[in-house]
Amino acid sequence: MASHVNPTVRRRRLGQELRRLRELKGMTAEAVAERLLVSQSKISRLENGRRSISQRDVRDLCGVYEVEDQRVVDSLMQMAKESRQQGWWHAFGDIPYSVYIGLETDAASVRNYESLLVPGLLQTREYAEAVIERIEPEAAPADKAKRVEVRMKRQERIHDPVSPLRFWAVVDESALHRVVGSPRIMREQLEQLIELSHRPHVTVQVLPYSVGAHPGMVGTFSLLEFADAADSSVVYLEGVTSDLYLEKHAEVQHYSVMYEHLRAQAHHPERTRQFMIELAKEYAG
């Protein structure tokens, strides 16, 4: 369930506002960095929300941008204070994709394409344990257990009775044929997918082998959208050692069009459900 104050979203929103003030002033990030005797990369990180913003940073930037309305300054200072709070995920220590978790926690909807795995938000505990065990064989048992718990905690957005996450998943057929853990785990995973697919805010579509080549072959991605118009959509691309977040309108639009093609080529949700029922029976056998 989303917390009242999300530090990741606050940082992102504050960064967007600081960029807007800089552009209104007609200054480049390099010029601002020179005025404040900091690196240009720091200004860029502050504006893209990837770095924590202190109230001192906000005060100094407002001075450079000659912001005279004290109400605006106070509002930005408050956002900076809130952006330094800790989200629920910080209790689990260093999580590689904590920025994504922060965005997902506050998102209104997520459109996800998966080529090799069942989407994390729809995984059973045993499936998640088996996946993490094989993907991170060198990790300490405690770290693997932590990753599983974080994944289960994230799923609260799906089960939130008041404001559930609108989740649309297109899953390549190969992900459901790949036996993760055991046939029993796969059967139970499929049964959970079937159950979740009946919920009005969850849609699951299988992309069959028969479509041949398709736009999703470039890799897995997620599109996150937010209820607040001030928060622009984000494309998330997960990497092995680092992740990529795309926020430019043209980039987001490109992936949105890709996703529409994938949805059009995938089985209809009803046909997908029947496909999963039949495959679950095979695993049971």
Side-chain angles (χ1 to χ4, degrees):
M1 189 178 299
S3 59
H4 180 64
V5 174
N6 186 316
T8 303
V9 173
R10 282 290 190 275
R11 278 202 309 270
R12 185 165 173 258
R13 192 175 299 168
L14 177 55
Q16 291 171 341
E17 182 61 19
L18 292 173
R19 181 187 296 112
R20 187 186 70 83
L21 291 172
R22 174 177 60 77
E23 292 173 347
L24 283 174
K25 192 64 178 175
M27 298 182 70
T28 64
E30 291 83 358
V32 175
E34 186 176 347
R35 282 280 300 275
L36 296 178
L37 300 178
V38 299
S39 67
Q40 186 271 330
S41 61
K42 175 180 178 178
I43 302 300
S44 297
R45 289 196 298 272
L46 292 178
E47 290 185 352
N48 64 27
R50 302 292 179 264
R51 178 188 174 116
S52 179
I53 306 178
S54 70
Q55 291 178 298
R56 179 176 180 177
D57 289 331
V58 170
R59 183 200 63 191
D60 292 346
L61 288 167
C62 285
V64 172
Y65 303 147
E66 298 179 340
V67 180
E68 297 180 354
D69 191 334
Q70 190 59 43
R71 292 172 300 178
V72 173
V73 176
D74 291 343
S75 176
L76 295 177
M77 294 277 278
Q78 180 62 27
M79 289 175 69
K81 181 179 180 181
E82 293 174 349
S83 75
R84 298 177 73 83
Q85 296 181 18
Q86 292 192 333
W88 64 260
W89 53 93
H90 288 98
F92 292 88
D94 185 24
I95 303 297
Y97 51 100
S98 60
V99 172
Y100 173 79
I101 295 175
L103 294 172
E104 180 188 81
T105 298
D106 215 54
S109 70
V110 173
R111 288 175 286 168
N112 174 236
Y113 167 68
E114 286 287 349
S115 59
L116 299 174
L117 297 169
V118 171
L121 289 178
L122 306 180
Q123 292 177 6
T124 65
R125 177 178 288 273
E126 285 191 289
Y127 183 97
E129 289 172 342
V131 165
I132 291 171
E133 175 65 35
R134 292 304 180 94
I135 288 180
E136 303 183 48
E138 302 301 319
D143 290 334
K144 294 176 185 177
K146 178 176 67 176
R147 293 289 294 271
V148 172
E149 291 306 319
V150 169
R151 190 159 301 181
M152 296 299 104
K153 178 70 174 177
R154 286 170 53 206
Q155 293 181 5
E156 291 183 11
R157 284 300 322 279
I158 295 290
H159 303 286
D160 187 338
V162 177
S163 181
L165 177 70
R166 176 71 179 95
F167 190 68
W168 197 304
V170 174
V171 185
D172 194 279
E173 181 177 345
S174 61
L176 303 184
H177 286 294
R178 184 179 300 279
V179 179
V180 173
S182 69
R184 177 189 61 79
I185 290 175
M186 290 304 299
R187 175 179 57 79
E188 292 175 355
Q189 176 62 79
L190 283 163
E191 290 172 348
Q192 175 157 301
L193 284 175
I194 294 165
E195 188 275 323
L196 290 172
S197 72
H198 283 284
R199 302 191 182 190
H201 59 280
V202 177
T203 302
V204 180
Q205 288 184 265
V206 167
L207 189 66
Y209 290 140
S210 59
V211 303
H214 58 81
M217 295 179 78
V218 298
T220 294
F221 64 94
S222 295
L223 284 150
L224 297 92
E225 296 172 316
F226 303 87
D228 195 319
D231 300 316
S232 57
S233 300
V234 181
V235 176
Y236 169 68
L237 306 172
E238 183 177 357
V240 176
T241 57
S242 62
D243 302 326
L244 183 62
Y245 300 87
L246 307 177
E247 302 180 57
K248 293 181 180 179
H249 177 74
E251 295 171 328
V252 173
Q253 183 64 21
H254 178 75
Y255 275 89
S256 293
V257 171
M258 283 176 57
Y259 202 81
E260 290 308 308
H261 281 290
L262 292 171
R263 293 203 299 196
Q265 292 177 288
H267 284 319
H268 184 275
E270 288 294 336
R271 174 68 186 92
T272 290
R273 195 174 294 120
Q274 188 57 41
F275 173 87
M276 293 190 295
I277 291 172
E278 294 169 359
L279 187 56
K281 291 179 181 177
E282 291 183 24
Y283 281 123

